[in-house]
Amino acid sequence: LTEDDLIRSFQAQARRLGIASGNGVVQGIGDDCAIFRPPGGRSDLVFTTDMMHEGVHFRLGESARAVGHKALTRSLSDCAAMGARPLFCTLSLAFPKEAERWAKDFYNGFSRLASVHSVIIAGGDLASTERICCDVAVCGQVPRGKAMLRSAAVAGDTIYVSGTLGKAALALESGRRFVPQARVQLGEQLRDAGVRCAMDLSDGVSSDLARLCKASGLAANLTDVPIARGATLAQALHGGEDYELLFTVPHSRGVPKGCHAIGHIMEGRAGLVLFRGEPLAPQGWDHFRSQ
Amino acid sequence: LTEDDLIRSFQAQARRLGIASGNGVVQGIGDDCAIFRPPGGRSDLVFTTDMMHEGVHFRLGESARAVGHKALTRSLSDCAAMGARPLFCTLSLAFPKEAERWAKDFYNGFSRLASVHSVIIAGGDLASTERICCDVAVCGQVPRGKAMLRSAAVAGDTIYVSGTLGKAALALESGRRFVPQARVQLGEQLRDAGVRCAMDLSDGVSSDLARLCKASGLAANLTDVPIARGATLAQALHGGEDYELLFTVPHSRGVPKGCHAIGHIMEGRAGLVLFRGEPLAPQGWDHFRSQ
């Protein structure tokens, strides 16, 4: 069982019940965000939700402010991947009663980042539990029909990433601090430049590119990846939580500075990724795969 | 520290940062749902999010299907309290790898109820953790400006509840099964009848009525409560999770069958609730209050 298998089985059941799309939902389970089309409006709304759990996504020893920052970054990054401007968020937060100071520091980090991106904190839920966890939902806005999708890659497209890879994996292994930044501005810029296919790199390019290819019914040939200073090739290929954008364009002109071409989309088995000609197994983070 | 104190401190910080409202968010932290007004649209959208944690909101021994049903019911009930029609939801679910069967049963209960209310499952997030928890966000639709609010009570209003109280508390104590139902249809019916003030009973009427009064800057005199068969007065006053609607109307005509008048709104200290003339302390469920 992998995370993707589970998502597909949940999606299949929603389809059988007739509740996988409709009511204005034009993109349901399976992309970085869901897309809702308000009747008569000129904008689509995108929705994403991301959890973080103590002992899984962070440790208690980490700065609570940094954890709050990252909690919002994850969802903002999903918005960025759709090319959407984030409008508002909700925060569900559970923590032990005695961790009130921690929770307030978390909220400081969370709300500061919300303020930087002018994201309204519209609501949420609180609970007292033994271990800390949170779930953040973000709603963003994108011109109608212009959201970038995982499924929109075309054979022949050049594949790009928005920065170097392996930064978060390197920081984790070396105990150094790394504060990821959601590429919100870049996402809107790419959308305005007509880019149709993007996703964010949360689990590692070997896994995430395979997902993009699978969603598009195509394969990819990865020729090179920009490795972060000090990181290994394995960290760059399989390390998660860099929150860079992965996107494809029909030709190379007009790609913003700092973005790196890393390969091409091609016909082939849906989801297959070659690296320098050899099949590359998706070895990024998966919550449910047996190790 | 109480849950309400913490919510108010989070809200105050969002205000200081200028991110408590705006971007189309016309009702932020502090009601059953946030309200978003899409530019130019004839409808408002409402958003709510509710967590459930193993050992806090449910035990592993309970039916996973029933837990899934309840997880969605909590958010549907918040929608109902605003008089909104639920459109779609997201589900964040965390569970141990070995609990795959449990998770699938949970999703069965969740998705069946979604199907009953024609609610689209638009996305979510999955994680593997030691203990099970979930967070459900629901988006609903209500005619522009017509959402029912906690803050809209007026002195002289009669207070109603939609059914008998103490059912969930009685079931919990007696080990019997009780499956709460969100009053979605009733919420829309009340809204169409012009009701302006409502909330749902999730924590117990002694706590929830005090919140409604506080939000409206008024007090209440509770004269009677409809006690569920077999339940005690204390269970009816302080027991949570009945998910009935609490609402106020200027006069008694036109109130749907099955709804019970339980008292009146009056001038007085904001949030004060009298029961048969004596102050009634909010003794419903609070995650953070010291016992």
Side-chain angles (χ1 to χ4, degrees):
Chain A
L1 180 82
T2 67
E3 206 173 321
D4 289 350
D5 293 337
L6 199 57
I7 291 169
R8 272 190 287 270
S9 85
F10 281 5
Q11 186 179 31
Q13 186 160 338
R15 281 208 188 107
R16 281 194 299 274
L17 291 167
I19 52 169
S21 61
N23 286 358
V25 176
V26 295
Q27 166 69 53
I29 297 172
D31 211 310
D32 292 278
C33 294
I35 306 177
F36 171 72
R37 182 158 293 166
R42 283 159 53 191
S43 296
D44 287 338
L45 297 174
V46 304
F47 293 89
T48 181
T49 180
D50 291 273
M51 289 184 288
M52 281 178 65
H53 296 267
E54 180 191 337
V56 179
H57 300 90
F58 64 93
R59 291 150 298 163
L60 259 192
E62 285 179 61
S63 144
R65 284 182 71 105
V67 176
H69 182 283
K70 190 165 135 185
L72 183 55
T73 297
R74 288 158 57 90
S75 290
L76 291 181
S77 180
D78 285 325
C79 257
M82 311 297 281
R85 181 167 79 89
L87 296 176
F88 64 90
C89 66
T90 60
L91 167 64
S92 295
L93 181 61
F95 56 95
K97 274 177 206 171
E98 56 277 15
E100 184 192 335
R101 183 68 255 161
W102 194 98
K104 290 192 165 169
D105 288 343
F106 171 98
Y107 188 73
N108 279 333
F110 183 92
S111 57
R112 290 281 157 178
L113 182 61
S115 154
V116 165
H117 289 281
S118 300
V119 171
I120 307 304
I121 302 179
D125 193 23
L126 294 172
S128 69
T129 51
E130 273 175 48
R131 308 200 93 180
I132 298 167
C133 73
C134 68
D135 190 37
V136 176
V138 168
C139 170
Q141 179 177 274
V142 62
R144 191 173 163 128
K146 297 296 182 196
M148 301 187 290
L149 302 173
R150 292 184 185 187
S151 54
V154 172
D157 279 2
T158 304
I159 309 166
Y160 288 86
V161 289
S162 57
T164 60
L165 301 181
K167 293 185 286 279
L170 173 65
L172 190 66
E173 276 190 35
S174 62
R176 272 188 283 169
R177 199 166 164 215
F178 168 65
V179 180
Q181 304 295 337
R183 301 288 187 193
V184 174
Q185 264 197 307
L186 177 65
E188 290 200 77
Q189 195 182 339
L190 293 172
R191 177 206 77 205
D192 284 342
V195 173
R196 305 294 301 155
C197 175
M199 72 181 292
D200 77 325
L201 287 172
S202 53
D203 294 333
V205 71
S206 68
S207 291
D208 290 328
L209 180 56
R211 287 175 181 142
L212 183 148
C213 287
K214 189 141 196 173
S216 298
L218 293 166
N221 189 21
L222 195 56
T223 47
D224 208 358
V225 289
I227 305 174
R229 193 191 179 97
T232 64
L233 176 63
Q235 286 170 332
L237 287 173
H238 311 303
E241 307 212 314
D242 280 333
Y243 298 109
E244 296 292 350
L245 295 184
L246 179 71
F247 58 98
T248 82
V249 294
H251 38 70
S252 59
R253 78 175 158 82
V255 170
K257 226 177 115 184
C259 296
H260 305 269
I262 61 170
H264 289 86
I265 299 292
M266 60 186 190
E267 300 287 348
R269 180 167 62 74
L272 174 70
V273 176
L274 302 179
F275 181 58
R276 296 172 182 165
E278 296 292 321
L280 179 72
Q283 290 171 54
W285 177 257
D286 186 304
H287 275 283
F288 296 97
R289 188 172 52 208
S290 309
Q291 304 304 321
Chain B
L1 181 81
T2 66
E3 207 173 322
D4 289 349
D5 293 335
L6 199 56
I7 291 169
R8 272 190 287 269
S9 87
F10 282 4
Q11 186 180 29
Q13 185 160 339
R15 280 207 188 109
R16 281 194 299 275
L17 291 167
I19 51 171
S21 62
N23 285 358
V25 176
V26 294
Q27 167 69 53
I29 297 172
D31 211 310
D32 292 278
C33 294
I35 306 177
F36 172 73
R37 182 158 294 166
R42 281 160 52 191
S43 296
D44 287 337
L45 297 173
V46 304
F47 293 90
T48 181
T49 178
D50 290 273
M51 290 184 287
M52 282 178 65
H53 296 266
E54 179 191 337
V56 179
H57 301 89
F58 63 93
R59 291 150 299 163
L60 259 192
E62 284 178 61
S63 144
R65 284 181 71 105
V67 176
H69 182 283
K70 188 165 136 185
L72 183 55
T73 297
R74 288 159 56 87
S75 290
L76 291 180
S77 179
D78 285 325
C79 258
M82 310 297 282
R85 182 167 79 89
L87 295 176
F88 64 90
C89 65
T90 59
L91 167 64
S92 295
L93 181 61
F95 56 96
K97 276 177 205 172
E98 56 277 14
E100 184 191 336
R101 184 67 255 161
W102 193 98
K104 290 191 165 169
D105 287 343
F106 170 98
Y107 188 74
N108 279 334
F110 183 92
S111 56
R112 291 281 158 178
L113 181 60
S115 154
V116 165
H117 289 281
S118 300
V119 171
I120 306 305
I121 301 179
D125 192 24
L126 293 172
S128 69
T129 50
E130 275 175 46
R131 307 200 92 179
I132 298 168
C133 71
C134 69
D135 189 38
V136 175
V138 167
C139 170
Q141 179 177 273
V142 62
R144 190 173 163 133
K146 297 295 183 198
M148 301 186 291
L149 302 174
R150 292 183 184 187
S151 53
V154 172
D157 279 3
T158 304
I159 308 166
Y160 288 86
V161 290
S162 57
T164 60
L165 301 181
K167 295 185 286 279
L170 172 66
L172 191 67
E173 276 189 36
S174 62
R176 274 187 281 168
R177 196 161 166 221
F178 167 66
V179 180
Q181 304 296 336
R183 301 289 187 192
V184 175
Q185 263 197 308
L186 177 64
E188 290 200 76
Q189 196 183 336
L190 293 173
R191 177 206 78 205
D192 284 343
V195 173
R196 306 292 301 153
C197 175
M199 71 180 292
D200 77 325
L201 287 171
S202 54
D203 294 333
V205 72
S206 68
S207 292
D208 290 328
L209 180 55
R211 287 176 180 140
L212 183 148
C213 286
K214 188 141 196 174
S216 297
L218 292 165
N221 189 22
L222 195 58
T223 47
D224 208 0
V225 289
I227 305 174
R229 194 192 177 96
T232 64
L233 176 63
Q235 285 171 332
L237 286 174
H238 310 303
E241 307 211 315
D242 279 333
Y243 298 109
E244 296 292 352
L245 295 184
L246 179 71
F247 59 98
T248 81
V249 294
H251 39 70
S252 60
R253 78 177 158 79
V255 170
K257 225 177 115 183
C259 295
H260 306 270
I262 62 170
H264 289 85
I265 298 291
M266 59 187 189
E267 299 288 346
R269 180 169 60 75
L272 174 69
V273 176
L274 301 179
F275 180 58
R276 297 172 182 165
E278 296 292 320
L280 180 72
Q283 290 171 54
W285 177 256
D286 186 304
H287 275 283
F288 295 98
R289 189 172 49 210
S290 309
Q291 304 304 323

